[in-house]
Amino acid sequence: MTLLIGIPLETATGERRVATVPEVVEKLIKLGFPVAVQSGAGVGANFGDDDYRAAGAEVVATAAELWARSDIVFKVRPPSSEEVALMREGGTLIGFVWPAQNPELMQQLAAKRATVLAIDSLPRTLSRAQKMDALTSMAGISGYRAVIEAAHAFGRFLNGQVTAAGKVPPAKVFIAGAGVAGLAAIGTAASLGAIVRANDTRAEVADQVKSLGGEFVKVDYEEEGSGGGGYAKVMSEGFQQAQRAMYAQQARDADIIITTALIPGKPAPKLITAEMVQSMKPGSVIVDMAAEQGGNCELTVPGEAVVRHGVTIVGYTDLASRLARQSSTLYASNLLRVVEELCKTKDGTIDVDFDDDAIRGLTVIKEGNVTWPPPPIKQPAATPKLHTPPPAVATPKGHGHGKGEPMSARALAIVFGIGALAFLLVGQFAPAAFLSHLTVFVLACFVGYMVIWNVTPSLHTPLMSVTNAISSIIAIGALVQVAPPLGGSTVGDRPSGLILGLAVGALALTAVNMFGGFAVTRRMLAMFRK
């Protein structure tokens, strides 16, 4: 028996997202699931009822009918008590639940003997789970939108400009937290021309900040901040004091501060104090992306934008919803990947397999039994070390040299002696013209070696491509064979057909080498430009 997937209208205040979109409805139907959508569910994201009908979904008039008929319900926000009451016994819910923050909701769902897959509980350390990671999808959108909201409230350009009326300096943006949302904010602010600085307790994100055009600001205190699962951990008091001092300095200098710091299952840490807000320049902006969990700023009002000490503090909790169409599309794709894992047979039924680490992590309630938190993920067994052969015994001095050892004086004398003898024989028996060519060749090898040795290793490939282009001396020899000699020519002076053919072929190949070398060089050097 195939299971019906229901998509209700989100009832949370200001929520405009919808749990699936017409494009994904078609894919769910191909998996064998009929789909029902509550009338008006997609209006906030610019998806009309007719769009869903065209994709093959049934449009249901009321929430009560939808919840009563649906075997599986897709949700964005956690369901309210009224929605849980409408849910059918033994049904399945997939969406954001936040089990640590909603213990009462967990008990209500368990009383319904429901199976609940919380998309926020996905183990993010699994590489195969990335396609289902709705937290990352929504965080990226929220980080982008945070910069747009900051620019709107700031009241002047983010990029520096020089106009006839005067010079406008670039805005200085400081971003606290360089997770997914923070990195999205860094990239957006940098692309708008702002001077971007960022900080994170995890030192490993410094390179990511720099790659996006930001400057990583390090706290003058050594402590590892990675808490596992892609999140930061609670830091020591000593680190927090050093961090507050750094934030106070950045607050005095920055025009815009965007905070993103969250620790799973805990209130948002307070990073920006009232004194720091007071020290900021009038007209500055703070966007607190952690407002829903209490906020990183002491003066944040969740859901509102307020002005304190001349500073606009934006505490919107619906940043992803402000780009409803985009966020709904990405969220629907994440839920589709979850269903694909649950329904590998493509017959319209699901199998909640606890042997699958990703599904086990997602499942917080199974058939009325609370299964959250999940057990730790089993790590793969360590690969046995291969037998390593014993190190080679170093060759005694005077009998050659081992790898990495300098050549002995005796070996060096022998090499130079053989080289000198070879040059002596060449000088005695080779023609004078050959000696001049040999001298040029040796000097060219020496100069070329010294030039390449002093080039930055990252530029070796572009350098080799351009040297290929300019070192095509073959072209000169081929032209000598093809062109008539100076002062006229006789039949005996003309090259044979074979030599002429080889010369023309050499010219053609040399032309490819020359023009191709410059083309490759140009493309490679473009990779180093911002």
Side-chain angles (χ1 to χ4, degrees), residues 20-89:
T20 201
V21 299
E23 178 186 349
V24 173
V25 166
E26 296 176 356
K27 297 176 182 178
L28 291 171
I29 292 173
K30 289 180 180 178
L31 289 174
F33 296 95
V35 179
V37 180
Q38 184 181 344
S39 180
V43 171
N46 298 317
F47 297 109
D49 291 347
D50 290 339
D51 297 326
Y52 286 102
R53 289 192 184 96
E58 176 189 357
V59 177
V60 177
T62 64
E65 181 184 357
L66 181 94
W67 282 91
R69 290 179 51 194
S70 300
D71 301 293
I72 304 170
V73 175
F74 285 0
K75 279 278 293 169
V76 178
R77 295 275 185 169
S80 63
S81 298
E82 293 77 11
E83 289 175 318
V84 175
L86 296 174
M87 188 177 182
R88 68 186 302 174
E89 291 280 334

Side-chain angles (χ1 to χ4, degrees), residues 43 101 106 183 196 307 336 390 395 421 434 470 481 487 494-495 505:
V43 171
Q101 290 88 349
M106 292 284 287
L183 292 173
V196 184
V307 179
L336 171 66
T395 307
L421 180 61
F434 178 79
I470 63 177
Q481 294 297 325
R494 295 173 183 171

Side-chain angles (χ1 to χ4, degrees), residues 351-519:
D351 176 25
V352 182
D353 182 9
F354 272 20
D355 291 332
D356 185 324
D357 287 335
I359 299 303
R360 177 63 188 90
L362 283 170
T363 308
V364 296
I365 301 175
K366 185 175 182 181
E367 298 174 356
N369 299 313
V370 176
T371 59
W372 186 87
I377 297 175
K378 296 178 182 178
Q379 299 297 328
T383 306
K385 292 185 177 180
L386 299 176
H387 174 69
T388 305
V393 179
T395 307
K397 270 190 174 184
H399 298 279
H401 61 286
K403 184 177 180 181
E405 296 180 4
M407 185 181 293
S408 66
R410 180 180 176 185
L412 189 64
I414 292 174
V415 170
F416 272 97
I418 293 174
L421 180 61
F423 275 103
L424 178 63
L425 292 174
V426 169
Q428 289 291 330
F429 300 103
F434 178 79
L435 286 177
S436 63
H437 291 316
L438 179 63
T439 304
V440 172
F441 174 75
V442 171
L443 290 175
C445 289
F446 176 75
V447 172
Y449 172 80
M450 295 306 296
V451 168
I452 300 228
W453 183 261
N454 289 285
V455 170
T456 303
S458 60
L459 289 175
H460 277 174
T461 304
L463 176 67
M464 292 307 296
S465 63
V466 76
T467 51
N468 279 342
I470 63 177
S471 66
S472 298
I473 199 169
I474 274 180
I476 299 175
L479 288 173
V480 169
Q481 294 297 325
V482 172
L486 296 175
S489 65
T490 64
V491 175
D493 295 330
R494 295 173 183 171
S496 66
L498 176 61
I499 294 176
L500 187 61
L502 290 175
V504 172
L507 279 175
L509 294 175
T510 302
V512 172
N513 188 41
M514 293 175 66
F515 292 107
F518 282 118

Side-chain angles (χ1 to χ4, degrees), residues 146-147 150-151 154 157-159 170-176 182 185-186 188-190 192-199 214-215 217 250 253-259 285 287:
V147 176
F154 185 46
F157 300 134
L158 260 66
N159 64 323
K172 296 179 180 179
V173 178
F174 177 71
I175 296 171
I186 292 167
T188 305
L192 290 174
I195 297 174
V196 184
R197 300 187 183 100
N199 167 261
E215 174 190 348
V217 182
Q250 292 298 323
D253 187 50
D255 298 304
I256 295 171
I257 294 178
I258 297 174
T259 64
V285 178
V287 179

Side-chain angles (χ1 to χ4, degrees), residues 209-227:
V209 171
K210 295 174 183 175
S211 69
L212 290 170
E215 174 190 348
F216 187 77
V217 182
K218 193 174 184 297
V219 176
D220 190 16
Y221 193 99
E222 293 297 330
E223 183 176 347
E224 174 56 42
S226 179

Side-chain angles (χ1 to χ4, degrees), residues 26-328:
E26 296 176 356
K27 297 176 182 178
L28 291 171
I29 292 173
K30 289 180 180 178
L31 289 174
F33 296 95
V35 179
V37 180
Q38 184 181 344
S39 180
V43 171
N46 298 317
F47 297 109
D49 291 347
D50 290 339
D51 297 326
Y52 286 102
R53 289 192 184 96
E58 176 189 357
V59 177
V60 177
T62 64
E65 181 184 357
L66 181 94
W67 282 91
R69 290 179 51 194
S70 300
D71 301 293
I72 304 170
V73 175
F74 285 0
K75 279 278 293 169
V76 178
R77 295 275 185 169
S80 63
S81 298
E82 293 77 11
E83 289 175 318
V84 175
L86 296 174
M87 188 177 182
R88 68 186 302 174
E89 291 280 334
T92 299
L93 173 69
I94 304 176
F96 285 107
V97 177
W98 306 108
Q101 290 88 349
N102 296 305
E104 293 182 6
L105 173 61
M106 292 284 287
Q107 293 303 319
Q108 293 171 4
L109 290 167
K112 280 282 187 176
R113 294 188 299 109
T115 296
V116 180
L117 281 77
I119 198 71
D120 47 88
S121 298
L122 180 76
R124 303 172 79 184
T125 53
L126 296 175
S127 58
R128 58 178 291 269
Q130 292 178 0
K131 61 185 178 182
M132 300 179 273
D133 191 358
L135 281 174
T136 295
S137 299
M138 298 302 102
I141 293 173
S142 298
Y144 171 86
R145 184 69 189 196
V147 176
I148 302 303
E149 294 292 342
H152 172 69
F154 185 46
R156 68 174 174 86
F157 300 134
L158 260 66
N159 64 323
Q161 294 191 17
V162 178
T163 70
K167 182 179 179 181
V168 179
K172 296 179 180 179
V173 178
F174 177 71
I175 296 171
V180 176
L183 292 173
I186 292 167
T188 305
S191 66
L192 290 174
I195 297 174
V196 184
R197 300 187 183 100
N199 167 261
D200 197 280
T201 57
R202 297 159 292 186
E204 64 268 19
V205 304
D207 290 338
Q208 299 176 44
V209 171
K210 295 174 183 175
S211 69
L212 290 170
E215 174 190 348
F216 187 77
V217 182
K218 193 174 184 297
V219 176
D220 190 16
Y221 193 99
E222 293 297 330
E223 183 176 347
E224 174 56 42
S226 179
Y231 294 99
K233 71 174 185 180
V234 178
M235 306 301 286
S236 67
E237 182 58 34
F239 182 92
Q240 292 181 31
Q241 288 181 359
Q243 187 182 52
R244 283 192 290 270
M246 183 270 291
Y247 281 156
Q249 179 183 356
Q250 292 298 323
R252 289 190 294 269
D253 187 50
D255 298 304
I256 295 171
I257 294 178
I258 297 174
T259 64
T260 71
L262 279 174
I263 298 172
K266 297 181 180 294
K270 299 299 180 185
L271 305 179
I272 307 298
T273 63
E275 291 77 11
M276 294 180 195
V277 175
Q278 194 169 3
S279 71
M280 295 180 72
K281 293 170 281 189
S284 299
V285 178
I286 296 174
V287 179
D288 193 340
M289 294 184 64
E292 195 165 8
Q293 302 300 326
N296 297 136
C297 177
E298 289 183 348
L299 303 181
T300 296
V301 178
E304 298 181 23
V306 297
V307 179
R308 299 288 185 268
H309 306 295
V311 177
T312 302
I313 304 173
V314 178
Y316 297 149
T317 58
D318 61 345
L319 290 172
S321 184
R322 289 170 180 254
L323 291 170
R325 188 179 181 96
Q326 181 71 75
S327 54
S328 296

